[in-house]
Amino acid sequence: MTIIHERPRAETTTSQGDDAAGALRAWVDQVAALTQPDHVVWCDGTDRERHEITQTLLDEGKLIRLNGEYRPGSYLARSDPADVARVESRTFICSKRREDAGPTNNWVEPGEMKRELIEHFDGAMRGRTMYVVPFSMGPVGGRLSKLGVELTDSAYVVLNMHIMTRVGSAALAQIDAGDDWVKALHSVGAPLIDEAGVRHDDVLWPSSPDKYISHFPEDREIWSFGSGYGGNALLGKKSFALRIASVIARDEGWLAEHMLLIKLTNPVGRTFHIAAAFPSACGKTNLAMLRSTLPGWSVETLGDDIAWLRQGEDGRLWAINPEAGFFGVAPGTAAATNPNAMETIWGNTVFTNAALTDDGDIWWEGMTKHAPEHLTDWTGASWKPGLGRPAAHPNARFTVAAAQCPSIADDWEAHDGVPLDAIVFGGRRASNVPLVVEARDWEHGVFIGATVASEQTAAAEGAVGELRRDPFAMLPFCGYNMADYWGHWLAVGERLGDRAPAVFNVNWFRKGEDGRFLWPGFGENIRVLKWIAERLEGEGAASESPLGLVPAAGALDLDGTDVTDSDLDALFAVDPAAWNAEADLTEQYFATFGDRVPAPLRRQLAQLRRRLG
Ligand code: GTP
Ligand code: SPV
Ligand code: MN
């Protein structure tokens, strides 16, 4: 084994710092001894490094350079067709006790899981380079920020981590200074040299049919094996910033959430900070980058996927986006629906599983009204319209720096974050769930968050369209017992008291009997945000529904839309029979958590039933 870039030496270190640097080095050495890479490279996060990594991937054929005239500095990667999304069936929370992982997580006893993983990692990096990627989630040194180190044998992962997190020497210096950090070990699980010492050719997207995305919450460790894709492999994202961070947050009294973060400004210049939790591929990026159709109202982007929330000295809840980039759903992204996203990806973007045009740009379903006459599809095969299969994979993604977003807020990297005015929950529901509802109070809001159901999307393996419970949009991401997590939310609310943000629920996806969306969505969602802001100011008119407060007649600004009165009725219809059936399902759902369900949530269910009659 050779070390290409020696670990940079810190200029001054305290004795605690020496211990910290030593602990990191010991872990790197230990993993290298186990996985046996040809080389170890310590990453510094510089542009030069990014160019080198990119060049390596180009030389290996693992990236396709896009036409610089249309998409400068941008590349297309094509994954293995069996490695296109998060694998929830192979995602594990290995807490010491099974009940601490809870019924919503796969659990294996940590010792047993580590033994199994060590067998898989043994020699897993033979013939490859192991990259040491120190990173910060949140601005380096920020009050809510956290550090991690990912060890990976995938240059594609390093390139994406460069965009999605703050990689490099500044993060490493914090680790050396003795700050806590999370160990994140990743291998694609495809060694180039076999046990007999024979070297094999690499493939364009190495991965393994044997996949493990394993989390050890008590040890603050992540071990990911066999996948190179998104949330399975970019370990700062779902594995650290949600699964491990949710456990740290429980222990330290804050919240790690699957939420976008925006700043809404009204026509007199008053700003509101709003965080919203929608399940995967249910509209976070789109709402985060909303371009307002209402004059005087505007939205600025702070984050599109993850938010960390912590009570500040003023007693309010403050939020940061711990990420530095967007790993956004490509299909459906278009100038008409999300112009800010289209402008963000003008260049310097990595596309994964998009289609390639004949002149070297990318395309996906929904980008333009008509598909180009010929494309190379996401598998590399020739494609033309009418073949009956999509040209881009439904979970095709773009990776791009947040700083490139034209709607990014000036203070998106503020070390203390921004104070939250409202929290919004939502899901993808063709029926039952109204366009917008305001919770009566925090406890009711927690009940609403805890009982969200949503139709499954292509962001994870599984049957697309199937309705499932996805509490707080955290079903695949909560690192501990979901019922305890609800209890933690209630406890945070107690501490916030009258400083707590207001809570709302939205649904952009309700359909009419003819199967069309009843609500125009996208930029028109500003109308719902406007009502929310008016409620926050104590102005917007609301009326009671069994589910919570809904806009009073005329309170939702629909001027200039083609939403008809009957659409509006259908958007807010509450069918007591259907909702009593939902309440029965909620009771059954709660039963799966046994006596860990907090009493206030059972009380909320009883109150809902009473209001439904
Ligand atoms: P993850 O990155 O997986 O967490 O997804 P996300 O929650 O950020 O979802 P995103 O904004 O990427 O949207 C997913 C899909 O829903 C895209 O195809 C969007 O075009 C579509 N979508 C988003 N907002 C709306 C909306 O208001 N109405 C309708 N009809 N579709 C929407
Ligand atoms: C999600 O599935 O919620 C995503 C994509 O944001 S991934 O990074 O793959 O988790
Ligand atoms: Mn997400």
Side-chain angles (χ1 to χ4, degrees):
M1 183 183 76
T2 53
I3 293 173
I4 298 183
H5 301 310
E6 178 54 277
R7 183 196 186 294
R9 264 235 156 307
E11 279 168 18
T12 51
T13 44
T14 61
S15 65
Q16 185 194 21
D18 284 340
D19 287 353
L24 170 56
R25 177 180 291 278
W27 178 60
V28 171
D29 289 348
Q30 185 194 333
V31 170
L34 174 66
T35 60
Q36 300 159 40
D38 276 1
H39 311 287
V40 174
V41 172
W42 288 75
C43 293
D44 60 15
T46 57
D47 285 346
R48 191 175 133 232
E49 176 175 275
R50 180 167 166 182
H51 289 132
E52 281 171 13
I53 296 271
T54 303
Q55 196 55 51
T56 302
L57 287 162
L58 285 167
D59 293 345
E60 293 176 345
K62 290 174 178 171
L63 283 182
I64 296 166
R65 190 194 298 278
L66 297 173
N67 187 331
E69 237 177 89
Y70 309 121
R71 210 64 67 174
S74 301
Y75 306 91
L76 172 66
R78 293 189 184 124
S79 81
D80 185 295
D83 194 21
V84 294
R86 283 182 294 101
V87 282
E88 294 179 3
S89 62
R90 301 296 303 162
T91 300
F92 302 90
I93 301 297
C94 305
S95 44
K96 290 196 179 105
R97 297 185 314 171
R98 176 178 218 136
E99 60 267 32
D100 289 337
T104 61
N105 285 311
N106 300 311
W107 178 84
V108 174
E109 191 277 319
E112 187 185 329
M113 175 57 85
K114 283 211 178 151
R115 277 190 294 279
E116 208 170 317
L117 283 168
I118 284 169
E119 269 178 37
H120 281 80
F121 274 96
D122 188 359
M125 298 189 186
R126 263 191 233 127
R128 297 192 183 278
T129 296
M130 181 172 90
Y131 298 92
V132 181
V133 187
F135 62 94
S136 176
M137 299 308 291
V140 179
R143 220 161 62 90
L144 288 76
S145 300
K146 298 267 171 209
L147 300 156
V149 179
E150 179 159 354
L151 304 184
T152 179
D153 56 7
S154 163
Y156 167 88
V157 165
V158 178
L159 178 60
N160 280 271
M161 284 293 286
H162 255 235
I163 303 173
M164 294 304 298
T165 73
R166 283 100 173 162
V167 169
S169 312
L172 189 59
Q174 295 275 124
I175 289 170
D176 285 352
D179 285 10
D180 288 342
W181 54 283
V182 167
K183 290 177 180 167
L185 170 56
H186 170 254
S187 171
V188 294
L192 292 174
I193 299 173
D194 66 21
E195 275 160 35
V198 180
R199 186 176 279 270
H200 299 272
D201 285 343
D202 203 0
V203 294
L204 295 184
W205 184 279
S207 59
S208 164
D210 250 348
K211 293 181 173 56
Y212 293 81
I213 324 297
S214 299
H215 305 76
F216 301 88
E218 287 102 351
D219 295 340
R220 317 287 198 231
E221 272 181 38
I222 304 153
W223 295 50
S224 167
F225 182 90
S227 169
Y229 198 88
N232 301 328
L234 312 178
L235 299 183
K237 197 170 175 58
K238 296 319 199 327
S239 285
F240 177 173
L242 291 178
R243 297 195 190 96
I244 296 293
S246 63
V247 174
I248 300 175
R250 175 200 63 193
D251 296 347
E252 296 180 356
W254 52 281
L255 300 164
E257 300 299 327
H258 192 201
M259 289 177 172
L260 66 92
L261 190 59
I262 54 175
K263 180 189 295 187
L264 172 68
T265 305
N266 74 9
V268 298
R270 165 130 202 238
T271 60
F272 307 85
H273 293 109
I274 302 175
F278 308 154
S280 300
C282 289
K284 286 182 302 298
T285 300
N286 278 268
L287 189 64
M289 298 184 189
L290 181 147
R291 193 168 289 180
S292 170
T293 57
L294 285 178
W297 290 82
S298 66
V299 168
E300 288 163 82
T301 310
L302 290 144
D304 85 322
D305 198 54
I306 298 175
W308 287 351
L309 281 41
R310 191 196 282 260
Q311 192 171 21
E313 272 145 30
D314 61 356
R316 300 183 68 190
L317 199 54
W318 289 67
I320 65 159
N321 164 21
E323 300 191 279
F326 306 124
F327 185 64
V329 177
T333 307
T337 56
N338 191 348
N340 281 324
M342 291 306 287
E343 289 173 24
T344 305
I345 59 173
W346 64 268
N348 308 325
T349 304
V350 178
F351 298 91
T352 304
N353 290 340
L356 181 67
T357 67
D358 290 349
D359 54 1
D361 200 3
I362 35 77
W363 190 84
W364 46 70
E365 277 63 29
M367 183 194 279
T368 52
K369 200 161 178 203
H370 300 287
E373 269 164 30
H374 182 262
L375 291 166
T376 305
D377 75 10
W378 68 278
T379 69
S382 176
W383 186 96
K384 51 188 176 36
L387 282 180
R389 55 183 166 84
H393 188 275
N395 193 36
R397 299 260 167 179
F398 53 80
T399 320
V400 67
Q404 280 193 199
C405 181
S407 58
I408 200 78
D410 286 344
D411 54 350
W412 78 280
E413 299 194 276
H415 278 204
D416 293 339
V418 295
L420 271 190
D421 298 289
I423 289 173
V424 180
F425 297 115
R428 187 181 283 268
R429 291 296 303 267
S431 62
N432 286 13
V433 178
L435 179 64
V436 59
V437 175
E438 182 182 349
R440 289 147 199 282
D441 53 29
W442 183 269
E443 186 181 294
H444 183 221
V446 173
F447 174 76
I448 289 175
T451 54
V452 165
S454 191
E455 292 147 25
Q456 244 193 279
T457 67
E461 42 147 26
V464 171
E466 221 165 78
L467 193 64
R468 67 171 186 181
R469 294 282 165 163
D470 192 346
F472 290 71
M474 283 288 279
L475 176 70
F477 307 123
C478 184
Y480 60 104
N481 188 303
M482 184 63 82
D484 295 355
Y485 166 89
W486 299 337
H488 180 57
W489 263 80
L490 291 167
V492 168
E494 296 252 312
R495 283 200 295 277
L496 291 167
D498 63 1
R499 306 249 155 144
V503 182
F504 296 81
N505 192 73
V506 301
N507 176 25
W508 314 139
F509 299 96
R510 200 161 183 178
K511 290 181 176 172
E513 270 158 19
D514 52 3
R516 93 199 135 86
F517 288 120
L518 289 164
W519 179 248
F522 303 105
E524 302 293 11
N525 292 333
I526 189 70
R527 298 165 187 280
V528 172
L529 296 181
K530 177 182 174 188
W531 182 73
I532 289 175
E534 288 168 352
R535 292 293 300 159
L536 294 172
E537 298 222 276
E539 287 167 6
S543 54
E544 294 274 350
S545 97
L547 307 178
L549 300 161
V550 294
L556 196 64
D557 183 348
L558 295 175
D559 277 0
T561 69
D562 51 15
V563 178
T564 65
D565 286 348
S566 76
D567 288 347
L568 193 62
D569 287 347
L571 277 164
F572 284 98
V574 178
D575 174 3
W579 272 98
N580 272 306
E582 293 240 0
D584 291 346
L585 291 173
T586 296
E587 186 175 339
Q588 289 169 26
Y589 185 58
F590 281 176
T592 64
F593 299 94
D595 58 10
R596 280 174 106 118
V597 176
L601 297 190
R602 294 195 189 279
R603 193 163 63 227
Q604 285 289 335
L605 177 60
Q607 284 169 11
L608 170 65
R609 282 188 158 131
R610 216 169 305 131
R611 291 195 301 265
L612 288 165

